[in-house]
Amino acid sequence: MSRTYTGKEIAEHSSRESCWIIVHGKVYDVTEFLPEHPGGSKIILKYAGKDATAEYDPIHPPNAITDNLPPEKHLGSVDLTTVEKVEVVITDEEKARQQRIAQRPPLTEVLNLHDFEAIARQVMPEKAWAYYSSAADDEITIRENHAAYHRVWFRPRILRNVTHVDWSTKILGLPSKMPVYITATALGKLGHPDGELNLTRAAAKHGVIQMIPTLASCSFDELVDAAVPGQAQFLQLYVNSDREITKKFVQHAEKRGIKGLFITVDAPQLGRREKDMRMKFEAEDPAEVTDNKQQDRVDRSQGAARAISSFIDTGLDWKDIPWFQSITTMPIILKGVQCWEDALLAYDAGLAGVVLSNHGGRQLEFSRSGIETLVEVVTKLKEKRGLAFPNEKFQLFVDGGVRRASDVLKAIALGATAVGVGRPFLYAFSSYGQDGVEHALQILHDEFEMNMRLLGARTISEIVPEMVDASSIHQHIVSVPTDNLYFSNYESMQSARLREIKPKM
Amino acid sequence: MSRTYTGKEIAEHSSRESCWIIVHGKVYDVTEFLPEHPGGSKIILKYAGKDATAEYDPIHPPNAITDNLPPEKHLGSVDLTTVEKVEVVITDEEKARQQRIAQRPPLTEVLNLHDFEAIARQVMPEKAWAYYSSAADDEITIRENHAAYHRVWFRPRILRNVTHVDWSTKILGLPSKMPVYITATALGKLGHPDGELNLTRAAAKHGVIQMIPTLASCSFDELVDAAVPGQAQFLQLYVNSDREITKKFVQHAEKRGIKGLFITVDAPQLGRREKDMRMKFEAEDPAEVTDNKQQDRVDRSQGAARAISSFIDTGLDWKDIPWFQSITTMPIILKGVQCWEDALLAYDAGLAGVVLSNHGGRQLEFSRSGIETLVEVVTKLKEKRGLAFPNEKFQLFVDGGVRRASDVLKAIALGATAVGVGRPFLYAFSSYGQDGVEHALQILHDEFEMNMRLLGARTISEIVPEMVDASSIHQHIVSVPTDNLYFSNYESMQSARLREIKPKM
Amino acid sequence: MSRTYTGKEIAEHSSRESCWIIVHGKVYDVTEFLPEHPGGSKIILKYAGKDATAEYDPIHPPNAITDNLPPEKHLGSVDLTTVEKVEVVITDEEKARQQRIAQRPPLTEVLNLHDFEAIARQVMPEKAWAYYSSAADDEITIRENHAAYHRVWFRPRILRNVTHVDWSTKILGLPSKMPVYITATALGKLGHPDGELNLTRAAAKHGVIQMIPTLASCSFDELVDAAVPGQAQFLQLYVNSDREITKKFVQHAEKRGIKGLFITVDAPQLGRREKDMRMKFEAEDPAEVTDNKQQDRVDRSQGAARAISSFIDTGLDWKDIPWFQSITTMPIILKGVQCWEDALLAYDAGLAGVVLSNHGGRQLEFSRSGIETLVEVVTKLKEKRGLAFPNEKFQLFVDGGVRRASDVLKAIALGATAVGVGRPFLYAFSSYGQDGVEHALQILHDEFEMNMRLLGARTISEIVPEMVDASSIHQHIVSVPTDNLYFSNYESMQSARLREIKPKM
Amino acid sequence: MSRTYTGKEIAEHSSRESCWIIVHGKVYDVTEFLPEHPGGSKIILKYAGKDATAEYDPIHPPNAITDNLPPEKHLGSVDLTTVEKVEVVITDEEKARQQRIAQRPPLTEVLNLHDFEAIARQVMPEKAWAYYSSAADDEITIRENHAAYHRVWFRPRILRNVTHVDWSTKILGLPSKMPVYITATALGKLGHPDGELNLTRAAAKHGVIQMIPTLASCSFDELVDAAVPGQAQFLQLYVNSDREITKKFVQHAEKRGIKGLFITVDAPQLGRREKDMRMKFEAEDPAEVTDNKQQDRVDRSQGAARAISSFIDTGLDWKDIPWFQSITTMPIILKGVQCWEDALLAYDAGLAGVVLSNHGGRQLEFSRSGIETLVEVVTKLKEKRGLAFPNEKFQLFVDGGVRRASDVLKAIALGATAVGVGRPFLYAFSSYGQDGVEHALQILHDEFEMNMRLLGARTISEIVPEMVDASSIHQHIVSVPTDNLYFSNYESMQSARLREIKPKM
């Protein structure tokens, strides 16, 4: 069934009735798939009979098309020299963005992880920014994730010789230069052509561990191949409804040397990320959106996130845990635990740990932050099973909202082994590629050194619970709404003002 | 006394001294009623001797004129072909509004219930918006109703097979596709010519129950007639000082198949809704408002709400409950209970349930939100009577401030049987008619499906108290006022900025 | 020493070296007083040799000049017909203000007490507004006074026959149409030429009690004379260092029929009211302010408030209480009690009650609000002396921050006998004279009627502690300061937007 | 090695290859030091071969250059008459600043300590403002320092004879006119050419104690010499890695009559002050910042603060305390204690007291405010050692965020002996020199007098714990993030508005 086509042959199939496209030098017949495309038929039709690779790459995992199209639609190869280049029209908006890219400040002016976000917001394509920055429903949880850290305050110790401070640690037994790992985030090529490879390479240089996402833009093997000898990597797993696919993937990962399997358990269905969904409408002619309603069989209004996740198994259950334990010897960690009851079940099931996480605020709105859940998990697992944390046998991780080494140290003091950081690294490579990620890690390095000294802790083991006051962590305060009439009548006080000097005539 | 008039005859009675008007083809002499009209005499005089139907319809229940005018003022019919059309002057403001209506985004772009409100605010006539959106006094309670939900956070469970999730339930024994009913709200024609019919029809399609309001713009029978076979409806009742009228109405309702009687108990007098009251002044020449002061016997400064509610009995008492139980076999629910003591009295009185509600923040300012009251009611009724909730025999409902399925699920977890939603549906039909209401219900459908999965609950009965943390619900926090001098001196930090590129000469 | 001068004679004394002025037809030599004038010498010199009455009146109690100048400086009378009118230059600013006065909305559009403040702010002279609206230090306490009421929420009761509701009460045994009295505020003529008479007259019409201030712009006797037969009045007393003056004043008051003596105890020295102090600088040439520094012996930078209060006795002590009890049989109440310990002392001293007040936030910054103090006083006096409140023998009052009848009802529920309202009435007469005050009382009347019904209370005695939840009253919350970098990166969500319609060519 | 050079000789060494500079009439060869200069090489090269004194002075302690350059680089003296003046180019920005200086309001218009900050912000060079006003990381702690005082409210007492109030006290046995001392802050010449001398002189006039900073712009002896007979001074000590230097300094200080040694223990490494760091980039050509990266061996991106502090010993330890006790008989106080455990250790070590401080929010972000720590220290030291506070033997001080005498009185009530005030005095002399500091002290004087009276306390010993309610002090509240969609839909209420008067045609 496989032969080599010419550009001209393919160009004849450029209509809704017969629609062929080229991706990475292969030809596919997507006519029947058009109405099912989660991203809408319109965008495919734009490339009907043409090479769609450049458009396809950043928003699909590499094997998306081969996995989703039946084999008989894989028509064959194409002689790329015969294909007419798709003329890329550079919009005014894109030109302005290119201008902003040219104006990025030098990395030396980037002083903290917030800066990467401020820059990324200006230099990323709007759609990519929307995908990375959006979160569930009213986006309260994503903000709470960061805010929760501000309810924890330090009780630092003084007069300890802090000339030498060491914030290296072990994560699942593997050395890490800091109690931080790069957590899994999808679709890296939206931000940078090298996608997640930026993370792999920077992680190698700085001695931290990267968690490879199932939904990476780069293929799993590319990311493993890019690791230097001895560089540890973890795998984040979305479990496929077809367990054989999952089994193959997990066992392949173990064979390739992956050191830990993080099964995502907070996403049986992906959350509504309305900023991302809204972006779609902006990009199309509103009139057609309405008309298309009849023609497409799939709800296209769900944004990039859902488009790529339909394979995820909604049926995953505690009963599946022994099966995972039977197919791999990697330590298994549940990613997305949100209450102590499930942390206890994970412990009792013999797992290696849990990530206390609400998926960066992208799944269930009003799920509590990881740092808040950590406090109850530590309390209850001590009460129920006599565990002390941090604990080598059953490790607690948190992620979400971390922007400073001080955030990380709060989590460590409260019992976490390490903390996952995601978006800041995305923003770093979206702005500066691998250099950005390295600089981000260097900033964390500098902050750890300073904060360890100021806390009076020479090693991670000296970061103890007494060093923080987390007594306000469970407060979910919403102020009584303002009395606008009263306060609009109130006239603010003013400071002394400079004298006005009247010009002389 | 009843005969048929010509337009010309009627047109002769167009002054304050003799003022006749036409409504729905009938002629009325309203001369003596002029100074008593809650909406002021001016607006009636504008239609003196003419057909006032178009102006009358949206802001009066259908039988307002027949009920309020003595029979001898019902002069007879009119041959409408002989009546001159009232020339409607379209103001610039109205033209701009019509333009905005034309620009409404397609329904596919409406992603959540908030969107309807944002659109309704732009496409509704200003007066209608004021009536729907206004609330009591400083409008703190209306905002608190929503804010209170944000003090409740989820404790979701993982690794449960959530392939099939089912959020259907029973309300007073009747099946409902979701734990939500359309609660009663007045004057639907202010927002859309079909008024509450939009709700009836959409409710039928989506399998939810509509509560018919006493003060509907459509007549009770119209709304019952519009129901499809098997479609359940409830009735909201304002009790009339004349109990015979109430008795007739209730027994008629039961005969027509109404399945539940919700007696409003939080509105012996309607609240001050100052936005609504303020609207009146905008609409008239301020000079005349002052002058009219002497002429009108009625305080016209009370807005649309009070204008239509003077019949409500301020003397309603617990002693009347047995009488209600004697005139109907419908389950009786009190709507507007605001503390556990009254919930307990209702239970002891043998009623079927209570709606914990502060009337959408439109009645007593600083009455607590339904979701907050729910927590104390569940605690105390367990303590005093050993009841567990949700409870089939004595059902708890809440309303006010709900905008997301997640809000509903919090109430269910805390013990409610179902939640009433009002304004969002008003805004939906004010923006898009019946389609809007259907789309609103579809959005809730999608949100329920997702949230059930993310909570790890397959059925409503799996939504348990342990799934929420409501420990901050009773906190009524107002921050210490800001130190303006101190904080105005503080200069906010700034992120790294793009370099400025100087143009080359 | 007293003779009659001509305007011409007086006009010769118009310099710093010899400065005479006319006030109310009398001539005074103020040459030596110039450097001691709390308001600065400049303003007096402006009227040197002229009639200063119009300037003098609003900002001085009537007898200020006679009390402060030694008798030998009271030169005699003047034949006013011989005095040249002081030409009043109307500034552009004043013209604009007169224009705004003409544009005041009719009273029917004033819906709540906030409205008076909004209007007063626009129609009052800036200095007068500054004096009335200013408060101590950073003006946190004045705002807290109102905010504290928002930490108290209602628990209303339903199904009580509220056809007849009655919110009249007794204050110190005297009937009052509502549980509100007009509390004492100084310098009423700053806002209106009739000053406090506006309050006396309106109080008569509405059956409420006025507390006459020591520092009224009108004389005490004027205010008593203006009362109608049977109209009760109280007296607020600043105690003079010269106790004979106080004794004379108190005994005169009792003779004139005053029914209660409220001794101010929270103002041994008047607070810093910087808005008021700042106003002074605005009004003068800054260069001269600097130069004058050397010449004036008095710190002029203290605003109107301190200028008029130097006589107040800083030595007032509990030991003086028996003396007060010996010179009058009027019930004695301490105004300005701020903790339970002092309320207990007052009770033990046999006094008739206390006003829990921080002087409208004008004295000690960060003193708690009256409504907050009320909660601890009621608790502790029950614990220590077995008292129940409201209590006829020992009455508790609160003032500060009240704007709605619902605020008053919260205080009543918590144990107060009545509530003092000050600024809102000042703003009412500053905007509309006596009519304004009457309308303000009418608004409170309407709000009481509605709120009593909605609370389910037919009489004041049915307003019980269980009707409020004040559990958050002692919370003095200040949020952790915002993370500006994080939140400036966050991009707010947006609602669906209207489509943009491109104009057709 | 020391001879006298001519300007011409020196001018020959004006390149990166050979770079000499003149400071205070001495010549230094800084060629090898260029890449190590914490402030970057660029700024030195600007003065290569020239007199750098004017640039050097404000941002270096006087002996910085002699201490940091090896003796062989101290080339000798210069005949200043032969040196060409460095032409100072006055930028437009500087001209605008000079204009603003001319417009400063007279001191009589400065009503509170906030005013100095408002003025300083406008009249200081931007870099100097950044250095003084910046703080650690996200600058949350600096703001919390002030905010924490607002969680403490007064419970004032009445009817005490407060004619005479006296707020003088003793600090470490030395008389002070108020319970306030001028705490140590670095680099005073950034704000004013007289630097810390402004403080010494004003302290003398007002009878308060100045703490001399190690990093003063003026030399230690200058500041001691400027004291009047009997004027007490303390010394703040940064401990040098070379303990001999420290020993010499401490013993010299004792000999010169210093009365207390405050050892800074919260700054083993100086905090990141990003506003200060950011300022550097503004000041240079961004392109060069990038290029320079390779050339400099030192991280120049650390701002003024770190540049001058590399000598501070990171190894300081409790074990060093006996050594300090062996080299001086001055009372020793630890400055920067942040939890009760360390206060207890200090007490047990026989020290004279501790300053509860987080270094003005400039060191560890999220370290609690001094006023909050005070509450736990007083509680725990009573529990563990039976101590009562204030305590002569072991004195507690706090600093950070103080702007009003009322802030000070809260600390006194809670157990502090005195309170350190820093930035406000810096802003005072940066705006008005010594006069500014005196006026600031006079403002505090006036505020103490008033507040003592209003509190009902005649002496400091009458300021007791019962006078404050600090029950909210440990609350670290962060509100749940706002629901932007909901609240953007909410339309604020409006007050009654003035009528619009249409112009007559």
Side-chain angles (χ1 to χ4, degrees), chain A residues 103 115 138 140 269 272 274 278 281 314-315 317-318 338 340-342 364 366 376 476 480 482 492, chain B residues 108 111-112 115 143 153-159 161-163 404 451 453 472 477 484 496 499 501:
Chain A
Q103 286 169 266
D115 278 351
D138 296 295
I140 287 163
Q269 172 175 349
R272 289 172 71 86
E274 297 181 359
R278 192 88 66 197
F281 303 124
T314 55
D317 197 290
W318 285 106
Q338 292 156 86
W340 68 263
E341 292 89 338
D342 283 330
L364 181 64
F366 287 102
E376 78 168 33
H476 301 130
V480 169
T482 314
S492 267
Chain B
T108 47
L111 301 182
N112 51 49
D115 279 352
R143 289 174 279 156
W153 285 69
F154 285 120
R155 306 181 71 253
R157 304 304 304 268
I158 53 163
L159 289 180
N161 183 336
V162 288
T163 306
R404 296 271 186 191
N451 283 317
R453 282 193 172 136
S472 298
I477 294 295
N484 290 319
R499 292 155 69 170
I501 292 174

Side-chain angles (χ1 to χ4, degrees), chain A residues 483-494:
Chain A
D483 186 345
N484 289 320
L485 291 179
Y486 182 83
F487 284 104
S488 70
N489 274 333
Y490 177 71
E491 193 176 327
S492 267
M493 298 182 73
Q494 295 191 318

Side-chain angles (χ1 to χ4, degrees), chain B residues 103 272 274 366 376 480, chain C residues 111-112 154-155 477 499:
Chain B
Q103 286 169 267
R272 288 173 71 86
E274 298 182 358
F366 288 102
E376 79 169 32
V480 169
Chain C
L111 300 182
N112 50 50
F154 285 120
R155 307 181 71 253
I477 294 295
R499 293 156 67 170

Side-chain angles (χ1 to χ4, degrees), chain B residues 44 68 149 174 180 197 204-205 224 260 273 280 371 457 462 503:
Chain B
I44 301 185
N68 282 288
Y149 282 97
L174 302 156
V180 164
L197 283 170
K205 288 222 180 169
V224 175
R273 297 156 195 179
K280 161 157 261 83
I371 188 78
E462 287 190 359

Side-chain angles (χ1 to χ4, degrees), chain A residues 455-467:
Chain A
L455 266 177
R458 277 140 317 189
T459 62
I460 288 294
S461 66
E462 287 189 359
I463 309 282
V464 291
E466 291 75 19
M467 277 183 173

Side-chain angles (χ1 to χ4, degrees), chain A residues 100 103-106 109 115 118 122 137-138 140 144 265-266 268-272 274 278 281 289-290 306 314-318 321 334 336-342 345 363-368 376 474-485 490 492 494-495, chain B residues 106 108-112 114-115 138 140 143-144 147 149-163 274 366 404 406 410 443 446-447 449-451 453-455 458 466 469 471-472 475-479 484-485 488-489 494-501:
Chain A
R100 289 197 299 271
Q103 286 169 266
R104 282 170 310 160
E109 294 191 16
D115 278 351
Q122 295 184 81
D137 286 14
D138 296 295
I140 287 163
E144 158 71 3
V265 292
D266 57 8
Q269 172 175 349
L270 285 209
R272 289 172 71 86
E274 297 181 359
R278 192 88 66 197
F281 303 124
V289 171
T290 320
R306 292 199 175 183
T314 55
L316 195 66
D317 197 290
W318 285 106
I321 297 298
L334 300 184
V337 167
Q338 292 156 86
C339 61
W340 68 263
E341 292 89 338
D342 283 330
L345 286 178
Q363 289 293 104
L364 181 64
E365 180 78 319
F366 287 102
S367 175
R368 298 169 306 162
E376 78 168 33
H474 295 302
Q475 299 262 25
H476 301 130
I477 295 295
V478 182
S479 288
V480 169
T482 314
D483 186 345
N484 289 320
L485 291 179
Y490 177 71
S492 267
Q494 295 191 318
S495 297
Chain B
T108 47
E109 294 191 16
V110 172
L111 301 182
N112 51 49
H114 300 297
D115 279 352
D138 296 295
I140 288 163
R143 289 174 279 156
E144 157 71 3
Y149 282 97
H150 292 204
R151 301 202 295 269
V152 181
W153 285 69
F154 285 120
R155 306 181 71 253
R157 304 304 304 268
I158 53 163
L159 289 180
R160 293 170 169 193
N161 183 336
V162 288
T163 306
E274 298 182 358
F366 288 102
R404 296 271 186 191
S406 58
K410 288 172 183 178
I443 286 171
D446 293 352
E447 290 188 348
E449 179 182 56
M450 179 186 68
N451 283 317
R453 282 193 172 136
L454 298 184
L455 266 177
R458 278 142 312 192
E466 290 75 19
D469 171 0
S471 55
S472 298
Q475 300 263 23
H476 301 130
I477 294 295
V478 183
S479 288
N484 290 319
L485 291 180
S488 70
N489 275 333
Q494 295 191 318
S495 296
R497 273 171 293 178
L498 297 185
R499 292 155 69 170
E500 220 178 306
I501 292 174

Side-chain angles (χ1 to χ4, degrees), chain C residues 392-465:
Chain C
E392 271 182 47
K393 304 284 186 211
F394 188 70
Q395 304 197 352
L396 302 179
F397 305 98
V398 301
D399 68 32
V402 169
R403 291 296 181 277
R404 295 270 186 192
S406 57
D407 297 333
V408 178
L409 292 172
K410 289 172 183 177
I412 301 304
L414 291 168
T417 293
V419 169
V421 174
R423 282 189 187 93
F425 294 128
L426 288 184
Y427 295 135
F429 74 61
S430 298
S431 305
Y432 296 92
Q434 179 185 343
D435 283 356
V437 183
E438 288 187 39
H439 189 64
L441 287 163
Q442 184 61 45
I443 287 171
L444 286 175
H445 173 282
D446 292 352
E447 290 188 348
F448 274 116
E449 180 182 56
M450 178 186 69
N451 283 317
M452 295 284 288
R453 282 192 172 137
L454 298 183
L455 266 176
R458 277 140 316 189
T459 62
I460 288 294
S461 65
E462 287 190 359
I463 308 283
V464 291

